[in-house]
Amino acid sequence: MSAETPACQLLQRQDADYRGWLWVAPPRDAWLEQGQGSVVSADHGVLQAWRECGRVAVSPFDDAALEPPGAVLFWPKAHALGEWWLLWLCANLPAGTRLQLVGENQGGIKRVLKVLAALGLGCRKLDSARRCMLFETRLDRVGIDPDAAWTTFEAEGLTLASHPGVFGHGKLDEGTRLLLGELERHLPGPERVREVLDMGCGDGILAAWLARRGHAVTAVDVNGFAVEATRRTLAANGLAGQVLVGDVYSALAGRRFAAIISNPPFHQERSIDYGPAGRLIREAPVHLQPDGELWLVANAFLPYPDLLESAFGGFQIVADDRRFRVYRAVTGAR
């Protein structure tokens, strides 16, 4: 089987014996998923794909003892997230374990050289092709706790937990700010408690804001870092809510809500990907109670009106500041 992604194509041409190795934060690629070794990833979709192939797949938040002969770290677009993964590997794998680091040139793989040097880890270049580069080092204890990457910031009177790789890292997104203003005006307050779903919860700002208003909140994200951030955000503010990891509605077992609220993602690394947002919209009526509401904020250029019209038979543009639009659609609008 041929590798599908450029980084995996570079790895496939190596003469290294990768049997038993640990693949760290990889992309979706059937060559990997049906090959050798195990995976650690914060992406629920990646973990599910590996498990469906009968492979060992763990989250960095699982309590798992790992002693592979080597590991390959796929360097992410978010440089700070790559640094976190490197620190996590140094803290969780035995000193001396071989580590290869691979990534696309446009994704900043060359920065790895400075990061490794700052940690006192040697490095050598193994190969380059497909606009990617491959480096190798050996892990060692570096005396830096990966948990130091967790930070907090204040927004909307709430304390928010933040981690590299989570949407809105360290700041409140302007689209979310616009959405919160409209929810303040239009969504029922604490006098009417409702079951509400925060889809794509990120750092938990929407979930915490809704819980503070007295709603019964469920929050979902495919990103394990976002799930952990939302749990920490709710705890930091003394708020209750259920937080689940899942791919769009996969973790909800047919549950229905009075409102679904989201600032949905449309990027997968550097590529535009409408898939998750499309599923969010198309399947929303099935997960809404009668007269249930879907609230979305999105960049104004995104083609969501056609999806909303098809799924709901109608919708409103509640706010539009030329950069972002807030949409509202109600079940039974046909």
Side-chain angles (χ1 to χ4, degrees):
M1 174 178 291
S2 297
E4 301 162 337
T5 57
C8 288
Q9 288 167 356
L10 175 58
L11 289 165
Q12 190 175 32
R13 75 184 214 158
Q14 306 305 307
D15 59 6
D17 182 357
Y18 288 117
R19 284 178 295 180
W21 278 46
L22 180 67
W23 305 94
V24 184
R28 289 294 312 276
D29 194 303
W31 173 73
L32 282 180
E33 293 159 9
Q34 298 180 21
Q36 299 288 334
S38 55
V39 70
V40 58
S41 175
D43 186 320
H44 177 71
V46 169
L47 296 177
Q48 284 296 101
W50 282 63
R51 289 165 182 161
E52 288 170 5
C53 293
R55 308 284 298 284
V56 175
V58 298
S59 160
F61 303 108
D62 293 337
D63 186 14
L66 302 170
E67 293 191 10
V72 178
L73 170 59
F74 291 79
W75 196 255
K77 175 185 174 183
H79 183 61
L81 180 58
E83 292 180 333
W84 182 89
W85 274 115
L86 188 54
L87 294 175
W88 185 89
L89 288 165
C90 286
N92 287 275
L93 268 58
T97 301
R98 289 176 64 188
L99 173 67
Q100 293 184 0
L101 304 100
V102 66
E104 297 184 29
N105 296 339
Q106 291 183 340
I109 182 62
K110 294 180 181 179
R111 297 179 183 177
V112 162
L113 296 171
K114 291 184 178 179
V115 175
L116 292 172
L119 294 174
L121 301 176
C123 177
R124 67 188 180 105
K125 179 180 173 181
L126 293 181
D127 200 0
S128 62
R130 305 293 297 170
R131 299 179 181 176
C132 297
M133 300 184 76
L134 177 65
F135 297 96
E136 183 168 280
T137 186
R138 286 190 180 270
L139 295 172
D140 201 356
R141 295 291 179 260
V142 296
I144 303 175
D145 187 347
D147 267 358
W150 285 101
T151 57
T152 60
F153 67 101
E154 303 295 318
E156 300 291 318
L158 294 162
T159 299
L160 304 178
S162 187
H163 192 279
V166 175
F167 176 72
H169 177 44
K171 64 182 185 303
L172 179 61
D173 171 71
E174 289 303 315
T176 300
R177 192 187 303 277
L178 182 66
L179 174 60
L180 288 173
E182 296 307 316
L183 294 175
E184 181 77 41
R185 283 186 281 274
H186 299 289
L187 201 68
E191 70 282 354
R192 184 183 169 195
V193 176
R194 305 201 299 172
E195 293 276 348
V196 179
L197 173 64
D198 173 9
M199 179 59 72
C201 52
D203 59 24
I205 175 62
L206 292 175
W209 188 91
L210 292 162
R212 186 176 62 182
R213 286 173 64 88
H215 296 293
V217 175
T218 299
V220 174
D221 206 295
V222 73
N223 183 341
F225 294 113
V227 169
E228 179 66 15
T230 296
R231 287 173 176 158
R232 293 186 182 212
T233 290
L234 290 171
N237 294 280
L239 298 168
Q242 183 180 28
V243 190
L244 305 171
V245 62
D247 185 6
V248 194
Y249 299 106
S250 65
L252 297 173
R255 291 172 57 191
R256 289 177 175 264
F257 300 87
I260 298 172
I261 299 168
S262 183
N263 182 348
F266 65 94
H267 279 116
Q268 180 65 31
E269 288 290 333
R270 289 181 302 279
S271 301
I272 291 179
D273 179 9
Y274 302 132
R279 288 180 55 202
L280 165 65
I281 294 170
R282 287 192 301 271
E283 299 174 24
V286 177
H287 294 277
L288 284 169
Q289 299 167 4
D291 297 321
E293 306 171 63
L294 172 66
W295 286 83
L296 294 181
V297 63
N299 293 73
F301 70 86
L302 293 172
Y304 294 162
D306 289 346
L307 289 169
L308 289 163
E309 184 70 33
S310 175
F312 287 88
F315 64 92
Q316 299 172 274
I317 297 177
V318 180
D320 187 342
D321 67 0
R322 297 190 179 182
R323 290 184 61 208
F324 300 100
R325 289 177 182 168
V326 176
Y327 298 95
R328 176 180 178 265
V330 181
T331 53
R334 296 180 185 275

